Amino acid sequence: QVVESCVAAAGYSVGEFAALVFAGALGFAEALYAVKVRAEAMQKASEAVPSGMLSVIGRREANYKFACLEARKHCESLGIENPICEISNYLFPDSRVIAGHLQALEFLQENARKYYFTRTKMLPVSGAFHTRLMEPAVEPLAEVLKSIEIQKPLVCVYSNVDGKKYMHSKHIQKLLVKQVVSPVQWEQTMHSVYERKQGTEFPYTYEVGPGKQLGAILKKCNLKAWKQYNHVDALEDEEAAET
């Protein structure tokens, strides 16, 4: 019943492929192949430069872009050419992920108080995903997406790149490639999905799969919408079926 009455879908980073499969825009096998190509190309790009991702929670006064600028200047002083340090994920108000050269991220951790960061934590990933350091992965993904048939989604799917609904198949093809080197605008997506007139009821929201991180983010972005949130662990049914 939930699936039949569903009006919109969204997926975080690689989860966007799952949202598009759910919405009938991509076939499951083709999407899985595209995800494999994307992952391998991103891993290869990661190995080219020592880079990473830093989760940051900041106070209201925090200026993330200025902090990134100073971290890039610090890298230049170390002799790094064209250093990268930029926001790669907008999670919820006062929370960002910053990604780029490792030296830039270390500089931000050391100077966290200066930039009004209350908490910084390195993420257990191998590279600076959703930044320009992933440019080598663009071409392989673009090639595979050209060879896949993409349909217009049966329900609205929101893009990570701009937080707006996908319009047609060419639009999906273009933005899935752009997503690799663009920040994930998840906070903006949450505002787009749940924007409604005052007094209008919020829809039921289901987070499918392992973990409840997206639910936690929704709670921080929109408490009223979160009250209709449910988590569905994809493995529960399989385990029950086996026993």
Side-chain angles (χ1 to χ4, degrees), residues 61-102:
E61 310 93 299
N63 184 334
Y64 303 94
K65 287 188 175 163
F66 175 66
C68 289
L69 174 69
E70 294 219 319
R72 287 196 298 271
K73 283 184 178 167
H74 166 72
C75 285
E76 282 169 358
S77 76
L78 299 175
I80 297 169
E81 285 181 35
N82 304 319
I84 306 260
C85 181
E86 54 198 53
I87 296 171
S88 63
N89 307 71
Y90 292 83
L91 299 178
F92 54 86
D94 308 324
S95 177
R96 306 276 182 275
V97 176
I98 293 172
H101 282 82
L102 279 182

Side-chain angles (χ1 to χ4, degrees), residues 98-112:
I98 293 172
H101 282 82
L102 279 182
Q103 295 90 332
L105 304 182
E106 283 158 8
F107 172 83
L108 290 178
Q109 282 189 296
E110 284 160 19
N111 295 278

